[in-house]
Structure formats: structure tokens, C-alpha cells
């Protein structure tokens, strides 16, 4: 068997597994549990309860690496604390224990859970408002509705995003917060309520184009496949 065929089969198999596994998870839960009203109810509840918490270690590593300002390699200069994602993960486990990888996880869950529903609600509402009853949303409508859906969701998410980032960086040198609530209270006392909207402008500037393209691609792919 040629090497090219082996590689192509291997990659396509992985892609198929990655694509099919979420659907298989929903299928198994619907088959074995009676707590869901249907397919979409199962998908939404699974995402809200588990996805953010499971992604917390990856988000933590991203934040730690983004906050690293030391140059990579320069003579006479101390090397950066983390040499890459894997080294960052190993260092956190060694210095803070396995639980350190989940620092800020509940803030991440509280950030993503309410904004998910608002995200799609805003998009659907704007799409219907900008489109007459007899027509499907046009490209401009998709871009505008998607962009504002992103801004709206990040407006709600930014306060908890600030808390999440602060808790993720806490423990790098010394522990400053005793928990999520302590982080909220301490931040408000020391810097005022405005601290919870720090970064909103950047979040919005990023959210509009990213989510505009996301919904634009999603809608056109749906039409193409159907």
C-alpha cells in the first residue's frame, strides 16, 4: 500500500472520528438517560455543563503564555518562565498541583453559560428584524447580525472574563485571591466597578469581524449542503 494512501486514510479517519464523536456522545446520552427533552436540549445542556470546565486548562495555559513578556532567548537575559504550552502545563502541575490547571474554571463556566443563549438569540432576532418575512437573510444581514451578536455576548461576558483572567494569573508568584467571590470583591474595592469592563473595547473590536465571518460561513455552508 503506498505511503500516500496510508497517510490519507489515517488523517481522514481521525477527521471522521473528531466529527462523529460529539454526535455519538449525544446519541449515547439520549439512549441511556431520561433527563433530556430531545437532541438540541442534550447538546445545549452538555455544552453548558461540561465544555467550558473541560477547556479550562487550555484557556489557563493560553492566558499564562499571553502574559509572558520576557524575550525568548537573549544573551545575559533570564529565559522566559515557560518555553511553550507543554512546558507551561508541566510547570503548573509541579508548582501548583493538578488543580492548578483548573484555576479560574468556574469563572469560565459562569462567563460562557449565559452568553451562549444570548449569542444565538441576538443573531436570530437581528436576522429577522433586518429581513422581510418572504426572504432569507442576505450576506450583509448575516455579517451585521453575526457581528452584533458577538459584541452583545462579550458585553455580558467581559466582567466574568476579567475575573477569570485574574484568577488564572493568581498563584504565579503568590496567592492573592481566596476564591471567585473574593476576587470579585477585592477587584471592586481596589479598582472600582469599572475594572470589570476592562478590555471590553478590544473584545468588541475582535468579536465583530470574527462572529460576522462565523455566521456568514455557517449560513452559506448550510445552504450549500442543502
Amino acid at each position: 500500500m503506498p505511503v500516500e494512501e496510508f497517510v490519507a486514510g489515517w488523517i481522514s479517519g481521525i477527521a471522521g472520528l473528531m466529527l462523529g464523536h460529539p454526535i455519538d456522545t449525544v446519541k449515547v446520552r439520549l439512549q441511556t438517560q431520561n433527563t433530556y427533552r430531545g437532541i438540541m436540549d442534550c447538546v445545549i445542556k452538555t455544552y453548558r455543563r461540561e465544555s467550558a470546565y473541560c477547556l479550562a486548562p487550555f484557556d489557563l495555559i493560553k492566558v499564562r503564555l499571553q502574559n509572558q513578556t520576557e524575550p525568548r532567548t537573549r544573551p545575559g537575559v533570564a529565559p522566559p518562565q515557560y518555553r511553550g504550552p507543554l512546558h507551561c502545563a508541566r510547570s503548573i502541575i509541579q508548582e501548583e498541583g493538578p488543580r492548578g490547571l483548573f484555576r479560574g474554571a468556574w469563572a469560565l463556566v459562569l462567563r460562557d453559560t449565559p452568553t451562549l443563549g444570548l449569542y444565538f438569540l441576538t443573531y436570530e432576532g437581528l436576522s429577522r428584524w433586518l429581513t422581510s418575512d418572504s426572504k432569507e437573510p442576505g450576506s450583509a444581514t448575516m455579517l451585521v447580525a453575526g457581528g452584533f451578536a458577538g459584541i452583545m455576548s462579550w458585553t455580558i461576558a467581559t466582567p466574568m472574563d476579567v475575573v477569570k483572567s485574574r484568577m488564572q494569573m493568581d498563584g504565579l508568584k503568590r496567592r492573592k485571591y481566596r476564591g471567585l467571590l473574593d476576587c470579585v470583591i477585592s477587584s471592586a474595592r481596589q479598582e472600582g466597578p469599572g475594572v470589570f469592563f476592562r478590555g471590553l473595547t478590544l473584545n468588541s473590536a475582535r468579536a465583530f469581524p470574527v462572529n460576522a465571518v462565523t455566521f456568514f460561513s455557517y449560513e452559506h455552508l448550510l445552504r450549500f449542503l442543502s
Side-chain angles (χ1 to χ4, degrees):
M1 181 173 59
V3 174
E4 293 83 359
E5 291 185 12
F6 173 81
V7 173
W10 178 58
I11 293 175
S12 62
I14 292 174
L17 182 62
M18 291 175 65
L19 181 65
H21 185 71
I23 300 172
D24 189 64
T25 300
V26 173
K27 178 203 68 152
V28 170
R29 293 193 174 188
L30 288 172
Q31 287 174 336
T32 59
Q33 301 178 28
N34 297 318
T35 56
Y36 306 109
R37 296 191 300 271
I39 294 173
M40 287 307 300
D41 185 52
C42 180
V43 171
I44 292 171
K45 285 181 178 178
T46 300
Y47 178 87
R48 286 180 174 177
R49 292 173 183 171
E50 300 172 35
S51 65
Y53 197 84
C54 293
L55 291 173
F58 300 98
D59 192 73
L60 172 68
I61 292 168
K62 174 186 73 75
V63 168
R64 291 280 178 97
L65 291 174
Q66 285 176 330
N67 274 281
Q68 188 165 259
T69 57
E70 299 91 347
R72 286 184 178 271
T73 52
R74 279 188 184 176
V77 178
Q81 183 172 2
Y82 306 122
R83 296 192 297 270
L86 291 177
H87 181 253
C88 180
R90 283 200 307 268
S91 299
I92 292 171
I93 293 173
Q94 290 172 358
E95 297 168 9
E96 305 171 45
R99 291 181 62 185
L101 287 172
F102 291 88
R103 194 179 302 281
W106 284 115
L108 181 63
V109 171
L110 292 173
R111 183 196 73 176
D112 288 353
T113 300
T115 56
L116 178 66
L118 182 65
Y119 180 60
F120 290 104
L121 183 65
T122 302
Y123 177 75
E124 287 294 331
L126 282 174
S127 293
R128 292 180 182 179
W129 184 59
L130 294 170
T131 307
S132 61
D133 294 336
S134 59
K135 296 180 180 179
E136 290 185 341
S139 296
T141 297
M142 296 174 197
L143 291 168
V144 171
F148 278 106
I151 290 176
M152 180 63 71
S153 64
W154 270 109
T155 300
I156 302 300
T158 295
M160 199 52 64
D161 188 56
V162 172
V163 175
K164 173 196 73 72
S165 297
R166 292 189 167 207
M167 293 192 69
Q168 287 173 330
M169 290 303 296
D170 191 35
L172 190 59
K173 295 181 179 179
R174 62 182 180 85
R175 292 294 301 276
K176 185 178 179 181
Y177 307 116
R178 294 190 300 273
L180 190 150
L181 187 60
D182 183 54
C183 180
V184 172
I185 295 172
S186 298
S187 298
R189 282 178 178 172
Q190 294 171 11
E191 302 172 63
V195 69
F196 297 113
F197 291 93
R198 190 174 294 172
L200 176 59
T201 302
L202 284 174
N203 278 338
S204 299
R206 181 189 65 176
F208 191 94
V210 168
N211 291 282
V213 170
T214 298
F215 276 108
F216 178 83
S217 303
Y218 172 76
E219 293 282 10
H220 280 288
L221 278 171
L222 275 184
R223 292 179 186 181
F224 175 76
L225 294 172
S226 60

